[in-house]
Amino acid sequence: GQQVMQIPQYQHVQEGEDFTTYCNSSTTLSNIQWYKQRPGGHPVFLIQLVKSGEVKKQKRLTFQFGEAKKNSSLHITATQTTDVGTYFCAGPYSGAGSYQLTFGKGTKLSVIP
Amino acid sequence: DTGVSQNPRHKITKRGQNVTFRCDPISEHNRLYWYRQTLGQGPEFLTYFQNEAQLEKSRLLSDRFSAERPKGSFSTLEIQRTEQGDSAMYLCASSSGDTQYFGPGTRLTVL
């Protein structure tokens, strides 16, 4: 079945350092979505990428969708303690007309003040 | 927009008991999803409704699990004869497009 893999599983950074998490799908995706889950919270939608090679920015966050639409990355510049949480990528199941999302295991970010 | 709400937020039950969770989606959203999340994992899809019709169901979903969305608004997820392996966070999400908005979840502990 479809698999979505994320690396690294954990990342500890000093406040002010940059952070990147990578996402790879076993199948081509029609779109990829990124979510953030704070400790004790629920996943919160960050962004959706649809086009091959697409790059989107949200303040200090930069999201990329690979040319083959099978991989994606999230880069945070100059991390802050508010960035703490687990970042998940998710892609729609490849079945026709499906709306279910397949999530990666996430990258848990810790920021040391 | 009051967001997706779920009740109860926490449920502790004994093995073998039945439990039911409720999800109230964002009012204008016609799609509703149930996911399960265990520690250190991403949400795992369980089932999906469009209006009142249950259109997709994970193959991983045991027949002890059943979900309904009788009037296309709120949904319930029932687990019969709970097992310790059912302990998890049960998340509901709703959408009108591709973006899914998650509720706070119901944390189930089976003793």
Side-chain angles (χ1 to χ4, degrees):
Chain A
Q2 181 184 41
Q3 291 186 334
V4 175
M5 292 148 285
Q6 279 186 258
I7 55 169
Q9 193 172 354
Y10 303 95
Q11 185 78 58
H12 305 275
V13 299
Q14 202 76 35
E15 188 173 17
E17 290 182 340
D18 292 356
F19 159 76
T20 304
T21 174
Y22 300 92
C23 177
N24 286 283
S25 169
S26 59
T27 60
T28 302
L29 299 169
S30 59
N31 68 81
I32 194 155
Q33 301 173 33
W34 285 91
Y35 290 79
K36 176 183 178 181
Q37 186 170 23
R38 293 182 186 274
H42 58 276
V44 174
F45 174 79
L46 293 177
I47 208 159
Q48 180 185 27
L49 304 171
V50 179
K51 298 177 183 176
S52 169
E54 188 171 13
V55 178
K56 285 189 176 180
K57 291 191 176 185
Q58 287 180 350
K59 298 183 181 179
R60 294 179 294 103
L61 278 61
T62 302
F63 303 83
Q64 289 189 313
F65 200 11
E67 295 290 338
K69 301 183 76 172
K70 293 182 72 173
N71 61 288
S72 181
S73 64
L74 158 60
H75 179 83
I76 302 178
T77 304
T79 54
Q80 300 175 358
T81 55
T82 53
D83 296 325
V84 164
T86 302
Y87 293 85
F88 293 99
C89 63
Y93 179 68
S94 55
S98 174
Y99 286 95
Q100 65 173 281
L101 289 176
T102 301
F103 281 78
K105 289 188 176 183
T107 296
K108 187 173 182 179
L109 173 64
S110 300
V111 178
I112 305 162
Chain B
D1 178 0
T2 58
V4 178
S5 61
Q6 292 186 245
N7 287 289
R9 295 291 305 277
H10 303 273
K11 179 71 177 178
I12 300 174
T13 191
K14 292 183 179 179
R15 189 175 51 185
Q17 297 294 305
N18 298 343
V19 294
T20 300
F21 310 141
R22 176 177 169 128
C23 170
D24 287 88
I26 294 171
S27 57
E28 62 267 26
H29 287 181
N30 60 342
R31 299 190 191 114
L32 187 148
Y33 314 79
W34 285 98
Y35 291 85
R36 177 172 60 191
Q37 187 177 27
T38 53
L39 199 61
Q41 302 294 317
E44 176 188 34
F45 172 81
L46 293 178
T47 191
Y48 148 67
F49 291 84
Q50 180 152 317
N51 300 312
E52 66 275 10
Q54 187 174 18
L55 296 186
E56 292 184 73
K57 199 172 173 181
S58 169
R59 284 171 291 176
L60 301 173
L61 203 61
S62 155
D63 57 7
R64 295 183 297 106
F65 288 68
S66 61
E68 293 183 342
R69 194 183 183 197
K71 297 183 179 179
S73 56
F74 74 91
S75 175
T76 58
L77 176 69
E78 181 183 16
I79 309 174
Q80 295 183 328
R81 304 180 304 281
T82 52
E83 301 172 358
Q84 288 185 324
D86 296 331
S87 294
M89 176 75 83
Y90 290 83
L91 293 163
C92 175
S94 70
S95 75
S96 58
D98 290 337
T99 303
Q100 296 184 21
Y101 296 88
F102 283 81
T106 295
R107 182 168 295 283
L108 173 66
T109 302
V110 181
L111 302 176

